[in-house]
Amino acid sequence: MRCLDDKKFMNLKEVQNTFHTELDDLYGKEEVDSFFFILIEAFYKVSRLNLAMNPSATENDYELIFNALQLLKQEQPIQYILGETEFYGLPFKVNEHTLIPRPETEELVEWIIKKEPRFKTQSLKILDIGTGSGCIAVSLAKNLPKATVYALDISKEALKVAKLNAELNDVKVEFIEANILKADTWNTEFKNLNFDVIVSNPPYVRELEKQQMQPNVLNNEPHLALFVKDENPLLFYNAITQFAVNNLSQNGMLFFEINEYLGKEMIQLLVENKFADIVLKQDIFKKDRMIKGTKKV
Ligand code: GLN
């Protein structure tokens, strides 16, 4: 086995072999290849094809890729290692204060953009509650250029990332630091807005579901954004629905990402609060994952 001092004499193919030796047991060969190619593209601008055509390609600085290897060994998500990911075709910065955006959430954004063509032409006011990295707010702002988008989060650190993401994607989003569970933290300007669309992907994983989660999620992603108590799993949904009843305009729409096991309870919550045209929607994995309703009264 090579010692670390040998690093500088390696070519990239040999670095790839080291990745397999160190990581295959943990992730499997295919995923390790995928990590390796993502990293050499990001760090050295070397693509999979470049490497195939020039297997003895070398780099001056293997520090970066060997650091990444150590972090992968500790099961850190590749998105945090790179500090960046992609969501709805757009680049997003992420760190330990924000969830890594999920494909299910892209489906929620797609539902809002594609199924409501009138949103493209109307000057809507949209609010994203619990914005995290800002992925929902920023991708909506990018794709609904006539909309004014507001995004709220309790976490200062998450809001810093979300602001960077609005800049990175060249959109304007109004950010608000507040706790949706505590009306006294909302500033007055925000209190008097009347929204046409409210969207949220709040914390919804119950403590009892922890054992089904991957250790890389559990050990790295912010628990503040993930978990709710078993006894009160709809804590955020109750508060946000109440907020929507008071702050949506006539015909305004509420969109949620939801816990796959709580679809029935979510329908009931929206029915009780007199929402109309309620639709529960499954994600690509056939799990109840999204719900929408319209405020008619
Ligand atoms: N879908 C995320 C997960 O499975 C949870 C997101 C959330 O709690 N809002 O980890």
Side-chain angles (χ1 to χ4, degrees):
M1 177 128 163
R2 284 170 179 277
C3 74
L4 279 185
D5 272 351
D6 290 339
K7 277 187 323 203
K8 50 180 176 291
F9 303 113
M10 285 181 165
N11 64 36
L12 279 176
K13 262 284 173 230
E14 290 171 309
V15 177
Q16 185 180 12
N17 293 338
T18 312
F19 264 59
H20 284 302
T21 322
E22 301 274 336
L23 298 173
D24 277 8
D25 286 350
L26 197 54
Y27 295 103
K29 207 168 161 16
E30 251 173 60
E31 191 158 7
V32 171
D33 266 332
S34 133
F35 289 151
F36 176 75
F37 290 120
I38 291 171
L39 291 168
I40 60 169
E41 173 83 55
F43 293 155
Y44 310 125
K45 308 285 171 252
V46 174
S47 71
R48 190 177 191 131
L49 184 65
N50 294 152
L51 187 64
M53 289 180 6
N54 181 13
S56 54
T58 56
E59 281 301 327
N60 298 323
D61 173 18
Y62 285 130
E63 210 56 41
L64 280 172
I65 195 147
F66 278 98
N67 278 344
L69 171 61
Q70 290 314 317
L71 297 173
L72 285 169
K73 265 175 107 165
Q74 297 160 20
E75 297 194 66
Q76 286 212 21
I78 183 97
Q79 295 89 339
Y80 289 155
I81 296 173
L82 289 171
E84 197 166 307
T85 187
E86 203 186 278
F87 178 85
Y88 211 71
L90 302 169
F92 280 87
K93 303 271 175 213
V94 287
N95 66 22
E96 72 278 15
H97 301 291
T98 68
L99 284 185
I100 296 164
R102 307 285 202 269
E104 302 88 283
T105 312
E106 291 184 301
E107 290 189 63
L108 175 71
V109 167
E110 172 108 345
W111 202 26
I112 300 173
I113 294 169
K114 294 269 165 77
K115 286 281 151 88
E116 304 293 333
R118 70 194 163 91
F119 285 178
K120 285 228 180 240
T121 55
Q122 292 174 353
S123 27
L124 306 167
K125 264 191 261 158
I126 300 178
L127 172 65
D128 172 25
I129 298 175
T131 198
S133 65
C135 63
I136 296 177
V138 169
S139 54
L140 288 178
K142 193 80 188 171
N143 288 279
L144 304 174
K146 292 202 133 202
T148 310
V149 181
Y150 299 79
L152 175 150
D153 209 285
I154 190 175
S155 158
K156 258 195 192 22
E157 293 300 324
L159 283 171
K160 279 189 202 160
V161 178
K163 281 178 190 161
L164 282 178
N165 285 326
E167 277 167 34
L168 182 64
N169 288 291
D170 201 18
V171 292
K172 195 167 171 296
V173 175
E174 296 287 335
F175 291 101
I176 303 151
E177 185 189 333
N179 179 351
I180 194 63
L181 302 177
K182 292 205 176 119
D184 59 348
T185 66
W186 309 340
N187 68 36
T188 26
E189 183 211 354
F190 165 62
K191 261 188 201 161
N192 298 327
L193 291 166
N194 221 3
F195 298 99
D196 303 292
V197 174
I198 293 178
V199 54
S200 184
N201 172 22
Y204 61 65
V205 181
R206 289 171 292 184
E207 303 279 335
L208 63 88
E209 286 153 3
K210 267 189 181 167
Q211 63 275 38
Q212 298 172 25
M213 295 177 85
Q214 299 292 334
N216 61 348
V217 175
L218 210 50
N219 298 336
N220 294 286
E221 297 200 59
H223 288 198
L224 179 69
L226 285 171
F227 293 110
V228 280
K229 297 231 152 50
D230 293 346
E231 318 78 74
N232 195 4
L234 298 187
L235 173 70
F236 291 96
Y237 295 89
N238 285 319
I240 294 166
T241 303
Q242 214 47 61
F243 179 85
V245 166
N246 296 325
N247 295 278
L248 270 178
S249 56
Q250 177 88 354
N251 291 318
M253 295 181 73
L254 177 59
F255 289 86
F256 279 125
E257 181 174 319
I258 64 164
N259 181 315
E260 67 201 69
Y261 305 112
L262 298 172
K264 237 178 44 215
E265 290 80 354
M266 282 304 307
I267 294 179
Q268 193 188 338
L269 174 63
L270 294 195
V271 169
E272 274 167 12
N273 284 282
K274 311 222 167 10
F275 279 83
D277 306 332
I278 298 166
V279 180
L280 179 69
K281 187 171 150 58
Q282 294 186 328
D283 61 20
I284 41 162
F285 309 109
K286 299 258 170 295
K287 310 215 155 147
D288 289 342
R289 186 63 70 196
M290 290 152 264
I291 194 165
K292 70 173 175 179
T294 302
K295 181 179 153 180
K296 291 283 185 195
V297 285

